[in-house]
Structure formats: C-alpha cells, structure tokens
Amino acid sequence: MLEIKNLHVAVGDKEILKGLTLSLKPGQVHAIMGPNGSGKSTLSYVLAGRAGYDITSGSITYNGEDLTALAPEERAAKGVFLAMQYPVEIPGVTTMTFLKTALNSQRRARGESDLDAIGVLKLVRAKAKTLNVSEDMLKRALNVGFSGGEKKRLEILQMSVFEPKLTILDETDSGLDIDALRVVAEGVNILRDPSRAMLVITHYQRLLDYIVPDRIHVLAKGRIVAEGGKELALELEAKGYEHIVKDVA
Amino acid sequence: MTLAIADRKAEAAAIFSGHGVPHRRVEEWKYSDLRSALGDAGIGAAQAELHVSQMAAGIESFDLSQPNPPTWVSAHFGQAHRNVMSAASLSLAQGGMAFRVSGAIAEPLKLEFAAAGHVCALLVLEAGASLTLVESVGIANFRNVGLEIVLGEGATLEHVRMSPQSGEAVLVENANVRIAAGAQYRAHFASFGSKLSRMELEIALEGDGAQAHLSGVALLDGNRHSDVTTHVIHRTGNTHSTQLFKHVAGGHSKAVYQGKVTVAKGADGSDSIQSAKALLLGDAAEADLKPELEIFADDVKCAHGAAVGDLDAESLFYLRARGISENDARGLLLQAFLEDAVAEISNTDQRELVRTELLTALKAIA
C-alpha cells in the first residue's frame, strides 16, 4: 500500500530525513518511534503533502501511484488521513459544517454523490457517541476552546467518518490521560481491517499497549535505525533511545 | 436658540463652499480621494431619489420637498451639517423624506436610495420606540446621502445597509446619529465596493446608558474601494460603544476603516471597544485601518485593535488535508473570518441575506 524508498527531505537548508525506507501492506499497523527531533513529524507532514518540505531524493508510492505528485486534498480523497499532533483551531467554522464539507469534498472527488445534511448528521452522531464527542462540540467552532483531549478525539472522529485507507497518527497520545487514550485507541482499533493500513507515530510506548503494532521502526537522525516486533517498544521503554541511537554514525 | 431649516441650509452651503470637494490632502479623506474620483464633473446639484419599498402602518412620514414641516421635522432636520459632505447634501438636496416612529414596529422599514445627486433623510424614533431600518444602495455615477437619525430615550434601532459592487459608482453617505439615555443603536454595513464608496458615521451618545454597536464587512476585488469612517462621541458617562469591522481585499482593491472614539470631559465610566481586521488576498490589495482614541474623562475602559494579515497557511493546509479543495478552503476561511461581524446583526432575515450575498461574492473572489 505504501512504499517509501530512500526518502530525503529538507526544510529550507536543513536535511531532516536522510534516506528513509519503509513498506506498509494492507491490514498492517506499523509504529514509528523515536526521540524528539528525529524527523517523525516531518515524515507525517510529507505524507499529507504540507508545503515547505522539499523532497530532495527518494520516492513515496501509494497504491502504485506517486503520492508526492498529489495535492493534499487529492491524497485525502484517495484515502490518506493524517491525525495531527496539533489540530488547528478555526473560529467561525462549526465542527459539523467542517465535517460535512470535508466528507462531501472527498466523495465528490471520488465521483460519489453528496450526502445530504441529515445523512451527514446521522453518520457523525453515531460515530461521535462511541468516541465521547458531545453534541456541543459538534456545534462549536472547529477545535476552538477544545481541550487537548477533545482535539485528539475529534481527529479520531474524523478518521472514523472518512474511513481512510491509510491513516497516519502523529503523536495522537500526547496530552491524553489514560481514559482518553483508551477511547482514542478503541476508535482506531475499530477501523483495523485487512483493507486498511496505519502508521502510528509516537514518542512513548504507552499508546502501543492499546494499538498493538505488527512492526516497530525506530527513527533517529532522519533514518530507520532499528526494527522489530511489538517487544521492541518495551525494550525502548526500559532502556531509552540512547543505547540504540548512539550506535548510529 | 435653534435655527430655522432655511438658515441651517444656508449655514451648510457656507461650510461646503469653504472646504470644497474633499481630496487626499485632507486628512479624513486621505484614503478616499473624492475630488479625483469625481473629476471635472464635481458634485453637481442633481437630485437623487429616496424610495420607500416597505413601510408599516404606524410610521409617520413627511416629504422634505414640501413646505410647512411638522415640529418633529423642524426640531431635528438639518442639525447635522458640520461635516463637509453632509453640509453639501443639506444645502443641495431639495427633496428626501422624514420618518417618525412612536411605538414598537416589528416589520422593517425598507428604504432605497437611487439615481445620481444629493438627497437627505431623517428618521426619528420617539422614546421607547423600536425599529429595523434596511437601507439599500442603488448604483449611480455619484450620489451623496445625508441621513440623520434621532433616538429618543429607551428607543432601539437596528440599521442594516448593504452596498452592492459596482465598478463605476461613487457613493458617499453621511449618517448622523444622536442617541438619548437608555437608547440603543445597532448598525451593520456590508460593502462590496465601488469606484469610491464612503460610509461615514457621526454618533453621539448623549444620555446615561446610551449604546452604539457598529459592525461591518467589506469584500472587495478588482479596483474597488470601500471606506467606513466612524466617529463615536461619548458625551456623558455610563455610555457604551462597540465596533467590529472585518475587511477582505483582493485584486487591486482598497479597504479603509477609520474609527475615532472621543470620550468627552465628564463622561466618566464610559466603555468602548474598537476592532478592525483586514485580510489581503494579494500584493496589490490595500487595507488602511486607523483606530483612534481621544479621551478627556477619567475611569474609562477603552480598547482598540487593528490587524492586517493573510490567510493562515496552517489552517489552509488542515482543511486541504481533509479533502477540501484549495479554493473551497480559502472560501471557508474567508467566510469564517467575516462571520463574527455578520453575527452582530440581530435581525435573522437580514443576517441570512448578508451571509448569502457574502457567499456568492466569495465564490467569485476566493
């Protein structure tokens, strides 16, 4: 589903990703762990198509297509979803209006017909209930005045409404208490199925107790420096990143 | 000792001839060069028209071109003529209408200014009266409107004015509003810009508890211009004013806000907030925001702010990453930017009307 080969990415003059290679198959959940500044968020933004990240060499292929040639909205319509670390507050646009506009934009781009207001409302309400997203949050301006936990739950609500094929979770666990973490993880796990893939980016092992990955990659200084099964997370938790990172030239 | 109407007109004529047509070297007209917009034609002496498109029973009216005005007209009409363009309209307009409201009127009074030239209007709300005034602006080469509004004690007026887009029109209006104790004036000005478009307000809060709440949006493109210039005077204490203006300028357009708040000596405990924000959609667009405070009293709460910016790149990316096209995302963000000013309109129908007009214009501009 996703093939990243020898990816080099620079922001301005500074090279952040220095030859990253990764392969993700349908049905799989991979985790990317790494210390601060290792390039985790850069990877997530590059996958979503944010401006300001220059791909200097390497390739990203999504379902056989060059992902980097697509605009962010085209990627979304083709099933790529990034749950952001810092969801943006947009005063003046209600959460419900935003969800309806986004969902129908994706549907239209795929040649599907618009869902009417009532159809969207029903869909969103049903999903919102399982994620403890209140009716009030849906009526309020997007992310404005939401707590850290509410913002993250809203990201997962979007994920469950859009039903993406490839989800990237960027530090979705940060700022969540244990109850919120459980709710978020359940929302994610519901979407796990043989047709979808997920990339879980996290600093801590904690989230991976709830979203159990098939494979873990350790990112340091812009490169994958170690790989392993879910037990690698426990090792990192016990020993820290340093013993792995210091071995990297 | 008040002057007779004829004497007020004569005084106004003298004031106008003393100044002439304002131009950019006159500080208050720096961003709106009326003289060059009008060219050789000048302000002329043509007579513009005032059409009443909807008026509920119970509103009294008087045709200002007729002799022998009733006392409620002679007491108030032509008192405001010290501003150069209101002096011009008062001295040159032979017609226009006056309206008087004594009770609570639910149905809006709808007026339309049309044709080229000068015209005056007077609206008097007696104590405790309430009304919604909807003003539409017809397109003309040049029109100069002088509107006077008098609110008696405890009266409430909501004034909504929508100025359509026009490449060629030069539209000038001066509204003078006098607000008695406990009375409230709410006004919203939606402007889509013209060759030169100037809405000027002089508002006097004259009694305890008087309030003025002004808001407006401008959505401009091409070579269009829109100027809203306000002067709010807190004459007595315990008066309250708010202003919220949001402007979007694309193309080579120019959005102007000049807002002056004066708190007179003795008007202690007055409260005023002014906020003006503009978004520029390109390098050739211009926004001039000039909030000003003049305080001669103690213990007042006055806040003002102005900011000019661009659409937030992070918000734009967020919306696009959710599948919303760049064009739609820009439209949504512009709509959101304008929304809090539009939300200031209390009348539901008028609020929806302004929203709809903005949406249509946004589709063309974003």
Side-chain angles (χ1 to χ4, degrees):
Chain A
M1 176 174 274
L2 180 70
E3 293 284 343
I4 304 174
K5 280 187 187 153
N6 192 29
L7 185 68
H8 290 254
V9 174
V11 177
D13 292 337
K14 196 169 180 222
E15 188 170 53
I16 309 286
L17 295 182
K18 303 167 183 172
L20 186 143
T21 296
L22 186 84
S23 171
L24 190 59
K25 292 186 171 59
Q28 288 186 332
V29 174
H30 287 204
I32 295 192
M33 300 185 72
N36 292 330
S38 56
K40 302 195 297 293
S41 284
T42 297
L43 175 62
S44 71
Y45 283 138
V46 167
L47 290 172
R50 187 177 169 142
Y53 296 84
D54 299 324
I55 296 172
T56 49
S57 69
S59 65
I60 307 174
T61 312
Y62 171 68
N63 290 334
E65 195 174 4
D66 177 9
L67 189 67
T68 63
L70 302 175
E73 57 269 32
E74 294 172 316
R75 300 180 197 204
K78 286 177 188 284
V80 178
F81 179 82
L82 166 63
M84 296 199 198
Q85 186 178 2
Y86 304 110
V88 181
E89 296 186 6
I90 305 185
V93 178
T94 68
T95 304
M96 200 63 214
T97 301
F98 158 76
L99 287 169
K100 178 169 173 268
T101 310
L103 180 64
N104 280 333
S105 297
Q106 294 186 23
R107 291 176 65 95
R108 240 171 282 150
R110 291 193 293 260
E112 299 163 19
S113 63
D114 277 22
L115 274 189
D116 64 15
I118 294 170
V120 177
L121 195 66
K122 275 188 181 162
L123 175 72
V124 170
R125 274 191 182 149
K127 308 272 189 189
K129 215 171 165 187
T130 62
L131 288 164
N132 283 341
V133 171
S134 67
E135 194 71 15
D136 178 56
M137 276 169 73
L138 297 174
K139 282 183 193 151
R140 273 151 63 192
L142 183 61
N143 286 321
V144 177
F146 288 20
S147 70
E150 286 175 329
K151 285 180 185 171
K152 294 298 171 73
R153 271 187 279 144
L154 193 69
E155 292 292 289
I156 302 308
L157 173 64
Q158 294 176 44
M159 175 187 174
S160 55
V161 169
F162 302 149
E163 300 188 327
K165 291 292 177 195
L166 171 65
T167 297
I168 304 121
L169 300 167
D170 187 6
E171 309 250 357
T172 297
D173 50 337
S174 68
L176 291 188
D177 63 32
I178 199 72
D179 292 329
L181 190 70
R182 201 171 285 141
V183 169
V184 161
E186 274 166 21
V188 172
N189 286 330
I190 286 170
L191 275 189
R192 282 181 86 154
D193 77 26
S195 72
R196 297 178 216 284
M198 295 177 192
L199 204 54
V200 182
I201 295 174
T202 181
H203 186 90
Y204 301 104
Q205 170 265 340
R206 197 176 65 150
L207 180 65
L208 304 180
D209 288 343
Y210 298 94
I211 305 172
V212 180
D214 300 301
R215 193 135 189 92
I216 292 176
H217 311 263
V218 179
L219 184 64
K221 296 177 180 164
R223 241 174 272 161
I224 303 289
V225 295
E227 286 180 281
K230 57 178 188 271
E231 64 288 344
L232 181 58
L234 296 170
E235 189 190 328
L236 286 169
E237 190 72 3
K239 297 182 182 168
Y241 287 106
E242 232 167 79
H243 81 287
I244 292 181
V245 176
K246 75 171 180 221
D247 297 337
V248 185
Chain B
M1 184 66 205
T2 52
L3 295 169
I5 290 177
D7 296 330
R8 292 173 209 158
K9 283 183 178 257
E11 200 177 77
I15 288 171
F16 180 74
S17 65
H19 288 90
V21 181
H23 50 83
R24 65 187 163 79
R25 286 183 304 279
V26 176
E27 181 63 25
E28 298 81 20
W29 291 81
K30 188 175 168 186
Y31 307 110
S32 305
D33 191 340
L34 184 59
R35 189 174 286 182
S36 87
L38 289 173
D40 295 338
I43 65 164
Q47 298 298 306
E49 295 158 17
L50 168 54
H51 304 297
V52 178
S53 14
Q54 179 179 297
M55 182 165 75
I59 299 180
E60 262 178 88
S61 65
F62 175 77
D63 182 340
L64 289 168
S65 67
Q66 298 303 308
N68 306 321
T71 4
W72 62 269
V73 173
S74 52
H76 298 298
F77 180 59
Q79 296 286 10
H81 56 258
R82 274 141 200 104
N83 172 290
V84 58
M85 291 311 289
S86 65
S89 61
L90 181 63
S91 62
L92 293 167
Q94 288 148 22
M97 297 279 286
F99 305 90
R100 183 198 200 192
V101 182
S102 304
I105 304 283
E107 188 182 291
L109 171 63
K110 293 187 177 170
L111 303 180
E112 187 188 355
F113 292 101
H118 303 269
V119 64
C120 287
L122 168 70
L123 174 62
V124 178
L125 266 65
E126 299 293 356
S130 65
L131 180 75
T132 300
L133 169 66
V134 175
E135 180 188 341
S136 36
V137 178
I139 291 165
N141 284 343
F142 169 61
R143 187 171 51 248
N144 179 31
V145 175
L147 173 64
E148 284 175 275
I149 294 173
V150 180
L151 302 186
E153 283 189 9
T156 55
L157 175 68
E158 174 157 51
H159 177 189
V160 181
R161 177 188 192 259
M162 194 151 23
S163 188
Q165 74 169 68
S166 156
E168 293 309 311
V170 175
L171 303 165
V172 177
E173 178 168 337
N174 187 284
N176 183 285
V177 187
R178 308 191 277 281
I179 307 169
Q184 191 185 131
Y185 174 67
R186 294 188 76 84
H188 185 88
F189 305 94
S191 174
F192 297 90
S194 66
K195 182 181 178 186
L196 186 146
S197 184
R198 163 108 158 181
M199 179 71 217
E200 185 163 349
L201 289 134
E202 296 177 304
I203 293 171
L205 297 158
E206 297 182 329
D208 187 83
Q211 297 186 32
H213 301 287
L214 314 178
S215 61
V217 292
L219 187 53
L220 313 175
D221 204 0
N223 285 307
R224 296 199 292 276
H225 164 279
S226 176
D227 170 347
V228 54
T229 292
T230 67
H231 186 191
V232 176
I233 307 163
H234 292 253
R235 289 210 195 285
T236 60
N238 189 29
T239 48
H240 186 58
S241 71
T242 61
Q243 297 186 55
L244 177 60
F245 287 90
K246 293 281 187 84
H247 297 165
V248 172
H252 288 78
S253 67
K254 182 158 143 179
V256 181
Y257 167 81
Q258 305 184 95
K260 187 170 173 181
V261 172
T262 302
V263 182
K265 193 156 188 267
D268 300 354
S270 293
D271 188 337
S272 129
I273 300 172
Q274 259 187 103
S275 167
K277 286 182 182 156
L279 282 183
L280 298 178
L281 300 182
D283 294 340
E286 180 180 328
D288 303 288
L289 308 176
K290 198 175 136 195
E292 244 182 298
L293 276 173
E294 214 175 34
I295 302 174
F296 302 103
D298 298 320
D299 188 29
V300 296
K301 270 197 289 189
C302 292
H304 67 176
V308 180
D310 197 353
L311 275 182
D312 180 44
E314 216 177 325
S315 303
L316 205 53
F317 168 68
Y318 188 84
L319 295 176
R320 293 181 68 192
R322 296 307 182 237
I324 301 171
S325 73
E326 184 172 7
N327 230 34
D328 288 354
R330 294 178 75 87
L332 202 58
L333 291 176
L334 291 175
Q335 196 191 334
F337 170 74
L338 299 168
E339 175 53 30
D340 56 350
V342 179
E344 287 286 306
I345 305 173
S346 319
N347 183 290
T348 318
D349 292 348
Q350 292 306 313
R351 190 170 62 233
E352 283 312 311
L353 199 66
V354 170
R355 264 193 199 128
T356 308
E357 290 295 322
L358 284 173
L359 269 180
T360 310
L362 278 170
K363 288 210 171 94
I365 203 175

